[in-house]
């Protein structure tokens, strides 16, 4: 569980370890769920943290690929077949993720994790209102946080290009959450971006209350959102994406520009992937 | 088999094995301590250090190509003072050699770096990255002009008693003549290669794939060219060569040693498999046993 003070982390040291594929199935169009049996990482990983996956043993692709963990099941979980497993939900976008779609049950994969700093929860005890905003596959990065904070009131905004890009709705329905959906072509829910959707519901969020907002999605979405949540009653964090060379802080390849005066370029893999909205330089 | 059969001497340093982790790909060491015991390494090279802090290049900074990696990190580093204060203490605790990689924009900056690192506890050697433009000479890269390289090395040589390694740029027409002038300038060893200048364009956005447009290519894609350059340097000079460029495993390392390298460095491999260097040491040991080779020394340049 995330600690009550500051960052989610209690930083656990990352492992480099093999896991076994237990499942790899298409859920819709270009979205897949990959299940990996890997108890050490499944036991420790916190919402918002990620793993680096070596997709193939040869050099194609050469680098590992970063993925958030969507669901995890500790070793004492009642469902025996899920014990010690972690699940990632991935979108097929290029060479590496294409190769991932061919992974078969039983295949051994090398993983590094848990990596990065996860979401910082609201201070305890809390009756805080939580807003989750996910664009496209970004919603899977915030889902574990919702699961961990199911006792609080959750407002969930899910957006995508078309209805085929809307993920996790069934998952959120099982939680104590109010769900809003948007698609850019209007094929499901509100027509527009998830940021437009959020703005359309802005009146729910009154100035006299504090809202803890957690977002993940493409950079343009986060940037648009950043301009709309400057008021003080939003305590907002974003999980960022960047191309990664290593994932554990060694190469400085994954940086993002922040408002830090001495070291403006901070590592998404090490100082992030979750940053406070106000620390990022959005221009 | 004796257990010092992997020992190798580079300048004043005696390495317990010839496997070194390269500059810029091994952070400041600490990032790897969760994965293996760093004391097993022949040596570690620090991230490149300049006199003043450098913020580095705008993102995106990396792009994967077929079997390779283009990076334009832009030598982001906290500067010499911060390095000595906050990064060196960690290295001092290690039971392996630390080689500090340095770079400057002028001759004076290199000399100043060497002087200020002279006698600092915990540093076994300096590796001069001369793949940087000389701003006083219209931006000609130090390592691309044999005369400029010679004068630079001679001056830095006078400023330091540490083992002085000069890291060569592969972006030259004649690596042998550069290696020779570096030797004449007084270097204890050369290391090669640094990354190859490279670029990639996204045809959909029509934008460069790395923020700086041009970056440096590393990884398996460059190995055959790097190997050729090591062999050319080996034929030209007598000081030890530290070979690198796309070494991912023990077999690659042995190839470089056969081509004339006394030791090797691994870079990109660390990012993909943080244990790559340690597995390479084990692989080299195994090769020696299987081939009944007593000392690694006898393998250097022993091909043909
Ligand atoms: C912390 C973190 C968590 C992530 N979690 C998930 C997740 O849960 N599910 C998911 O589907 N994806 C996730 N991603 C994105 C995922 O890593 C990339 O989609 C993947 O690396 C693409 O690999 P590829 O070889 O298929 O694409 P490539 O062929 O390498 O590139 C195809 C396209 O994807 C872009 N891309 C490549 N690498 C990344 C990257 N690391 N981040 C963003 N875009 C990238 C490229 O710029 C290009 O436009 C995450 C990224 C980060 C940094
Ligand atoms: C991300 C990255 C950062 C690097 N930074 C430096 C540096 O600061 N100084 C330097 O001399 N070489 C630097 N290099 C070059 C490597 O040390 C090495 O010479 C090169 O990558 C070739 O070896 P490889 O193919 O094993 O990676 C860097 C390489 C990479 C990939
Ligand atoms: S990916 Fe290498 S430092 Fe972040």
């Amino acid at each position: 569980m995330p600690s009550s003070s500051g960052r989610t982390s209690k930083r656990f040291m990352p492992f480099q370890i093999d896991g076994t594929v237990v499942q790899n199935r298409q859920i819709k169009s270009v979205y897949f769920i990959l299940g990996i049996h890997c108890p050490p990482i499944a036991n420790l990983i916190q919402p918002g943290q990620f793993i680096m996956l070596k997709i193939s043993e040869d050099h194609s692709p050469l680098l590992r690929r970063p993925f958030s963990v969507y669901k995890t099941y500790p070793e004492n979980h009642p469902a025996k077949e899920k014990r010690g497993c972690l699940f990632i939900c991935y979108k097929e976008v290029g060479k590496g993720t294409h190769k991932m779609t061919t992974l078969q049950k039983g295949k051994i994969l090398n993983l590094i994790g848990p990596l990065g700093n996860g979401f910082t929860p609201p201070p305890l005890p809390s009756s805080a209102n939580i807003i989750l905003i996910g664009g496209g596959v970004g919603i899977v990065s915030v889902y574990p946080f919702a699961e961990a904070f199911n006792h609080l009131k959750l407002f969930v905004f899910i957006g995508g290009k078309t209805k085929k890009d809307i993920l996790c709705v069934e998952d959120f329905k099982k939680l104590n959450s109010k769900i809003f959906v948007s698609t850019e072509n209007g094929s499901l829910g509100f027509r527009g971006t998830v940021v437009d959707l959020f703005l359309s519901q802005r009146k729910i969020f009154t100035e006299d209350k504090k809202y803890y907002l957690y977002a993940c999605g493409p950079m343009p979405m986060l940037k648009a959102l950043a301009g709309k949540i400057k008021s003080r009653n939003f305590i907002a964090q974003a999980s960022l994406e960047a191309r990664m060379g290593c994932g554990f802080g060694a190469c400085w390849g994954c940086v993002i520009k922040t408002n830090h005066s001495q070291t403006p370029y901070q590592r998404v893999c090490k100082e992030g992937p979750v940053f406070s909205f106000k620390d990022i330089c959005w221009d | 088999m004796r257990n010092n059969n992997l020992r190798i001497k580079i300048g004043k340093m005696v390495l317990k094995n010839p496997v070194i982790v390269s500059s810029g790909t091994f952070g400041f060491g600490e990032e790897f301590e969760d994965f293996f015991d760093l004391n097993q390494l022949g040596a570690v090279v620090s991230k490149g250090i300049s006199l003043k802090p450098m913020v580095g290049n705008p993102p995106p900074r990396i792009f994967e190509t077929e079997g390779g990696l283009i990076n334009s990190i832009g030598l982001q580093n906290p500067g010499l003072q911060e390095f000595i204060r906050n990064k060196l203490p960690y290295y001092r605790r290690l039971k392996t050699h630390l080689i500090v990689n340095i770079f400057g924009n002028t001759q004076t900056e290199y000399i100043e770096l060497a002087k200020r690192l002279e006698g600092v506890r915990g540093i076994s050697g300096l590796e001069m990255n001369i793949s940087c433009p000389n701003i006083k000479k219209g931006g000609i890269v130090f390592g691309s002009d044999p005369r400029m390289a010679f004068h630079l090395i001679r001056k830095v040589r006078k400023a330091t008693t540490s083992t002085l390694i000069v890291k060569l740029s592969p972006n030259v027409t004649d690596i042998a003549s550069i290696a020779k002038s570096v030797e004449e300038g007084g270097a204890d060893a050369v290391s090669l290669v640094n990354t190859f200048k490279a670029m990639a364009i996204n045809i959909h956005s029509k934008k460069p794939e790395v923020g700086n447009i041009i970056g440096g290519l590393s990884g398996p894609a460059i190995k055959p060219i790097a190997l050729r350059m090591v062999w050319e340097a080996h034929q030209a000079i007598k000081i030890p060569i530290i070979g690198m460029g796309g070494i991912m495993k023990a077999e690659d390392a042995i190839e470089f040693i056969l081509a004339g390298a006394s030791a090797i460095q691994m870079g990109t491999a660390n990012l993909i498999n943080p244990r790559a260097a340690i597995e390479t040491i084990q692989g080299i040991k195994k090769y020696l046993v299987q081939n009944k080779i007593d000392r690694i020394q006898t393998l250097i340049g022993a091909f043909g």
Side-chain angles (χ1 to χ4, degrees):
Chain A
M1 243 338 74
S3 67
S4 57
S5 63
R7 289 254 178 214
T8 323
S9 46
K10 176 83 175 77
R11 285 288 286 259
F12 296 105
M13 62 178 213
F15 296 91
Q16 181 184 9
I17 194 169
D18 284 343
T20 312
V21 174
V22 294
Q23 178 193 94
N24 188 19
R25 78 187 159 87
Q26 189 167 22
I27 48 170
K28 56 165 90 172
S29 63
V30 288
Y31 299 95
F32 296 78
I33 288 182
L34 177 69
I36 306 168
H37 180 75
C38 188
I41 297 180
N43 286 339
L44 293 179
I45 199 157
Q46 303 290 313
Q49 287 190 299
F50 66 99
I51 57 163
M52 289 295 284
L53 190 64
K54 184 75 180 112
I55 297 167
S56 82
E57 287 117 60
D58 60 24
H59 302 326
S60 178
L62 181 67
L63 301 171
R64 289 171 186 265
R65 294 292 189 266
F67 293 96
S68 301
V69 170
Y70 165 47
K71 288 182 181 174
T72 56
Y73 298 89
E75 276 174 299
N76 56 5
H77 192 269
K80 211 174 162 190
E81 70 288 354
K82 288 183 177 164
R83 283 181 194 162
C85 289
L86 57 89
F87 290 81
I88 61 185
C89 175
Y90 66 96
K91 181 181 182 183
E92 185 183 353
V93 294
K95 182 155 123 180
T97 46
H98 174 69
K99 209 158 202 174
M100 275 168 79
T101 65
T102 66
L103 295 171
Q104 303 276 330
K105 195 173 167 177
K107 171 84 185 162
I108 307 286
L109 294 175
N110 193 256
L111 283 70
I112 298 178
L115 292 165
N117 291 300
F119 294 104
T120 305
L124 290 176
S126 171
S127 55
N129 294 294
I130 295 184
I131 303 170
L132 302 175
I133 305 185
V137 75
I139 193 70
V140 298
S141 306
V142 295
Y143 174 73
F145 185 82
E147 225 178 40
F149 286 87
N150 192 23
H151 54 286
L152 299 179
K153 185 161 187 168
L154 307 171
F155 297 93
V156 184
F157 295 87
I158 308 175
K161 282 213 159 57
T162 73
K163 68 176 180 201
K164 285 184 182 153
D165 302 297
I166 300 298
L167 304 168
C168 300
V169 173
E170 294 307 312
D171 292 324
F172 282 109
K173 276 188 183 159
K174 291 178 197 147
L175 305 179
N176 177 22
S177 57
K178 184 149 176 49
I179 307 166
F180 304 88
V181 173
S182 72
T183 53
E184 283 169 40
N185 70 352
S187 52
L188 190 69
F190 178 89
R191 185 195 195 103
T193 68
V194 73
V195 179
D196 299 333
L197 171 68
F198 170 69
L199 291 178
S200 75
Q201 300 297 324
R202 187 69 187 259
K203 58 186 180 303
I204 312 176
F205 309 114
T206 52
E207 298 251 330
D208 57 327
K209 283 202 189 119
K210 260 203 176 126
Y211 296 93
Y212 289 82
L213 187 150
Y214 302 90
C216 183
M219 276 312 265
M221 168 204 137
L222 296 174
K223 192 176 167 178
L225 186 60
K228 307 293 178 195
I229 51 169
K230 286 190 175 143
S231 91
R232 282 172 151 225
N233 60 331
F234 289 109
I235 297 161
Q237 296 166 40
S239 177
L240 303 187
E241 290 194 358
R243 289 187 205 142
M244 289 189 176
C246 63
F248 49 88
C251 72
W252 291 81
C254 60
V255 299
I256 184 91
K257 193 165 185 188
T258 67
N259 298 321
H260 195 282
S261 60
Q262 271 137 32
T263 317
Y265 294 122
Q266 302 264 335
R267 295 165 295 186
V268 170
C269 74
K270 194 86 176 180
E271 284 77 44
V274 176
F275 290 89
S276 197
F277 265 88
K278 64 176 171 18
D279 292 341
I280 299 297
C281 173
W282 294 102
D283 343 306
Chain B
M1 197 156 85
R2 296 198 306 268
N3 72 11
N4 63 358
N5 59 351
L6 285 181
R7 258 206 234 172
I8 227 71
K9 198 162 178 253
I10 307 278
K12 292 179 181 167
M13 301 186 294
V14 178
L15 312 188
K16 52 184 160 248
N17 65 64
V19 179
I20 305 171
V21 286
S22 88
S23 183
T25 64
F26 207 73
F28 287 109
E30 324 167 73
E31 292 83 357
F32 287 78
E33 68 177 11
D34 296 331
F35 303 113
F36 71 93
D37 172 14
L38 272 56
N39 297 327
Q40 296 179 51
L41 294 167
V44 292
V45 185
S46 75
K47 200 167 156 50
I49 300 296
S50 48
L51 274 179
K52 295 265 138 54
M54 300 230 338
V55 297
N57 284 332
R61 287 181 172 182
I62 54 171
F63 182 71
E64 182 174 326
T65 59
E66 293 295 320
L69 167 65
I70 299 179
N71 89 78
S72 71
I73 308 299
L75 298 164
Q76 175 169 355
N77 80 90
L80 182 67
Q81 196 182 341
E82 175 73 8
F83 170 76
I84 294 177
R85 191 183 303 153
N86 285 326
K87 302 296 174 187
L88 193 57
Y90 176 80
Y91 286 117
R92 279 195 186 121
R93 293 206 296 272
L94 301 178
K95 293 185 195 69
T96 182
H97 292 286
L98 168 66
I99 299 167
V100 180
N101 182 286
I102 56 170
F103 69 93
N105 291 312
T106 61
Q107 228 179 52
T108 327
E109 283 183 16
Y110 279 101
I111 296 164
E112 167 105 24
L113 280 159
K115 280 194 178 143
R116 285 178 55 186
L117 288 165
E118 176 66 4
V120 174
R121 192 168 60 82
I123 300 173
S124 303
L126 301 183
E127 180 179 61
M128 284 172 68
N129 174 0
I130 57 167
S131 303
C132 302
N134 182 348
I135 54 167
K136 289 250 167 79
K137 287 274 156 66
I140 307 173
V141 174
F142 286 100
S144 66
D145 181 307
R147 276 180 56 82
M148 202 156 78
F150 170 78
H151 289 296
L152 173 66
I153 310 307
R154 209 176 48 167
K155 296 231 169 76
V156 174
R157 174 71 287 174
K158 287 187 186 137
T160 182
T161 57
S162 286
T163 296
L164 183 62
I165 302 163
V166 177
K167 184 165 179 179
L168 306 184
S169 163
N171 304 304
V172 297
T173 34
D174 185 2
I175 196 83
S177 67
I178 299 276
K180 250 196 152 92
S181 46
V182 164
E183 179 177 47
E184 283 160 10
D188 293 305
V190 294
S191 57
L192 69 156
V193 295
N194 210 319
T195 54
F196 287 82
K197 283 170 98 174
M199 62 189 274
I201 301 168
N202 184 310
I203 61 163
H204 305 294
S205 65
K206 302 193 177 72
K207 293 225 163 74
E209 288 284 15
V210 293
N212 192 46
I213 305 178
I214 291 180
L217 183 66
S218 64
I222 69 169
K223 200 193 89 179
I225 319 177
L227 189 71
R228 181 264 296 171
M229 290 185 143
V230 164
W231 184 58
E232 284 176 348
H234 175 65
Q235 290 169 295
I237 58 173
K238 298 205 167 55
I239 53 174
I241 294 168
I242 302 170
M244 79 190 96
I247 299 178
M248 305 303 281
K249 53 186 191 298
E251 288 84 344
D252 302 332
I254 293 161
E255 232 180 312
F256 274 79
I257 295 168
L258 287 170
S262 296
I264 59 98
Q265 289 186 18
M266 298 176 78
T268 305
N270 302 315
L271 309 180
I272 299 160
N273 173 12
R275 295 178 43 82
I278 235 64
E279 288 169 10
T280 299
I281 297 168
Q282 286 154 2
I284 295 174
K285 278 187 191 154
K286 208 165 137 196
Y287 176 87
L288 295 188
V289 172
Q290 278 168 354
N291 293 280
K292 303 195 171 55
I293 298 163
D294 197 33
R295 290 169 57 237
I296 188 131
Q297 204 92 37
T298 60
L299 275 182
I300 301 168
F303 90 105

